[in-house]
């Protein structure tokens, strides 16, 4: 199909081709299996992850306020039952301090559990960007865990900033409501949506910038994170309506909260990976060179090396076959 000459149709055609290539690349990377893997790791990482994030923010604003904010956000995105279940999870995660050896082991286990989801997400991001690590050893594993823990700290800092902004917004709306109550409600809703968008877009930008082993420009990162945040907010609205209307976890009884967490993380990861694929396709469309960092290389380089080895082996086998066909008596020599 040729590109239309009309400027508007031409832009629409380019957008169609762009989205088509994005979807095909997204589907080729098997996002459903990878989302299911991350949902599984999230289930086990969630208590440790939320405890560390809560501890970081609680050092400044108090644990009750932070836990209340987390409860409200989870209740808004998933369900109140899941929010209560997660609060109970956080309460049961403890760090033993009987002696220094037990304390070190407890903290190490806590960090290892909290970083699991970002560790797996890093692997998926590398697959999407078509890069692979040069070496996989214990030292590199520790570095990857440190990077994942960095994402946990970023999440805790962002939660603190979002909490402070929300408090300031509430104070502002309370003051303005004295003069124009009806206008203040609309203003507050719009501002809350903007804050949610900025928070989510910043989180995605941090994921795109920190986790993959590539050198990515800030313009590409911000654009990809913004598009992903829009998709996320649209998707979460649809998921919220779906969970509220159809109650997909009702058949699971006491395990309903766990099922809802898995479903929510699974669907969210599908959106995240599609947003990451949009970022990759945008970089390709704009002819931005994808440069791996010092610890990685392009995946097709590894594939080319394997192909060259296979080609050499085929040539060697071919020469051997020709030699045996020319001198058949050699094959019967003991």
């Amino acid at each position: 199909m040729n590109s239309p000459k009309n400027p508007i149709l031409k832009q629409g055609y380019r957008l169609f081709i762009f989205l088509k290539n994005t979807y095909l690349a997204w589907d080729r990377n098997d996002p459903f299996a990878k989302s299911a893997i991350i949902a599984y790791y999230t289930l086990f990482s969630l208590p440790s992850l939320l405890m560390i994030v809560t501890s970081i923010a609680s050092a400044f604003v108090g644990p009750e306020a932070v836990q209340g904010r987390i409860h409200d956000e989870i209740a808004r995105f998933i369900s109140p039952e899941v929010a209560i279940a997660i609060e109970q999870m956080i309460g049961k995660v403890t760090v033993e301090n009987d002696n220094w050896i037990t304390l070190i082991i407890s903290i190490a286990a806590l960090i290892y559990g909290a970083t699991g989801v970002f560790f797996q997400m890093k692997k998926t991001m590398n697959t999407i960007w078509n890069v692979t690590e040069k070496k996989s050893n214990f030292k590199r594993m520790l570095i990857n865990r440190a990077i994942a823990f960095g994402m946990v700290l970023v999440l805790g800092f962002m939660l603190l900033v979002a909490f402070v902004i929300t408090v300031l917004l509430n104070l502002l709306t309370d003051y303005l409501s004295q003069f124009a109550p009806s206008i203040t409600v609309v203003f507050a809703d719009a501002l809350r949506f903007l804050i949610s968008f900025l928070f989510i877009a910043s989180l995605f930008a941090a994921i795109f910038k920190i986790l993959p082993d590539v050198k990515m420009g800030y313009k590409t990162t911000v654009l990809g994170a913004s598009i992903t945040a829009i998709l996320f907010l649209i998707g979460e609205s649809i998921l919220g309506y779906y969970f509220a209307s159809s109650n997909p976890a009702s058949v699971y009884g006491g395990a309903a909260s766990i099922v809802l967490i898995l479903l929510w993380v699974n669907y969210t990861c599908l959106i995240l990976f599609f947003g990451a694929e949009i970022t990759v396709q945008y970089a390709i469309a704009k002819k931005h060179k994808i440069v791996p960092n010092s610890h990685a290389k392009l995946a097709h380089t590894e594939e080319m090396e394997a192909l060259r080895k296979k080609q050499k082996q085929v040539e060697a086998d071919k020469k051997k076959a020709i030699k045996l066909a020319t001198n058949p008596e050699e094959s019967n020599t003991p």
Side-chain angles (χ1 to χ4, degrees), residues 263-300:
L263 284 173
W264 185 80
V265 175
N266 198 2
Y267 293 147
T268 301
C269 284
L270 291 174
I271 297 170
L272 172 63
F273 296 153
F274 190 78
E277 202 65 66
I278 286 178
T279 309
V280 175
Q281 293 302 317
Y282 173 80
I284 293 173
K286 293 296 182 180
K287 295 182 171 55
H288 295 170
K289 191 175 181 181
I290 299 174
V291 181
N293 62 21
S294 58
H295 302 291
K297 60 183 177 180
L298 292 172
H300 63 72

Side-chain angles (χ1 to χ4, degrees), residues 51-293:
M51 181 183 176
I52 292 176
V53 169
T54 303
S55 300
I56 294 171
S58 297
F60 299 91
V61 295
E64 293 81 8
V66 175
Q67 289 180 12
R69 175 62 188 254
I70 292 175
H71 176 277
D72 293 343
E73 291 298 317
I74 294 173
R76 182 167 68 93
F77 280 125
I78 310 179
S79 75
E81 293 79 9
V82 173
I84 294 171
I86 289 178
E87 268 191 322
Q88 293 174 349
M89 284 183 190
I90 298 173
K92 291 180 180 178
V93 179
T94 58
V95 176
E96 300 292 340
N97 55 4
D98 295 338
N99 56 68
W100 65 272
I101 297 177
T102 307
L103 181 63
I104 291 174
I105 294 174
S106 299
I107 293 174
L110 190 68
I111 294 174
Y112 188 84
T115 56
V117 59
F118 290 112
F119 183 73
Q120 294 300 320
M121 198 175 290
K122 177 180 173 63
K123 290 183 178 181
T124 304
M125 287 294 167
N126 279 345
T127 302
I128 291 173
W129 280 96
N130 197 33
V131 296
T132 183
E133 291 185 352
K134 291 179 180 178
K135 293 181 180 179
S136 182
N137 50 33
F138 182 72
K139 179 182 177 182
R140 187 58 195 163
M141 188 270 290
L142 290 179
I143 293 173
N144 287 335
R145 286 285 174 176
I147 293 171
F149 187 64
M151 276 302 309
V152 176
L153 298 180
V154 168
L155 187 58
F157 174 75
M158 290 176 62
L159 179 64
L160 175 62
V161 171
F163 178 81
V164 172
I165 292 175
T166 302
V167 171
L168 294 176
L169 175 61
N170 291 336
L171 293 174
L172 178 62
T173 51
D174 289 342
Y175 175 75
L176 293 178
S177 62
Q178 301 175 12
F179 306 99
S182 56
I183 298 176
T184 302
V185 172
V186 177
F187 170 76
D189 289 341
L191 206 53
R192 284 193 181 92
F193 177 82
L194 179 61
I195 291 170
S196 296
F197 170 78
L198 291 175
F199 178 82
I200 294 168
S202 300
L203 178 60
F204 288 149
I207 290 174
F208 292 164
K209 191 69 179 175
I210 295 174
L211 292 185
D213 288 318
V214 293
K215 299 175 182 177
M216 196 187 314
Y218 284 99
K219 183 179 178 181
T220 304
T221 304
V222 170
L223 180 65
S226 300
I227 294 174
T228 307
I230 293 171
L231 294 174
F232 177 84
L233 291 171
I234 295 172
E236 292 312 305
S237 299
I238 297 172
L239 285 177
Y241 175 78
Y242 169 65
F243 287 157
S245 59
S246 62
N247 195 12
S250 58
V251 296
Y252 294 95
S257 296
I258 294 175
V259 172
L260 280 177
I261 292 172
L262 291 173
L263 284 173
W264 185 80
V265 175
N266 198 2
Y267 293 147
T268 301
C269 284
L270 291 174
I271 297 170
L272 172 63
F273 296 153
F274 190 78
E277 202 65 66
I278 286 178
T279 309
V280 175
Q281 293 302 317
Y282 173 80
I284 293 173
K286 293 296 182 180
K287 295 182 171 55
H288 295 170
K289 191 175 181 181
I290 299 174
V291 181
N293 62 21

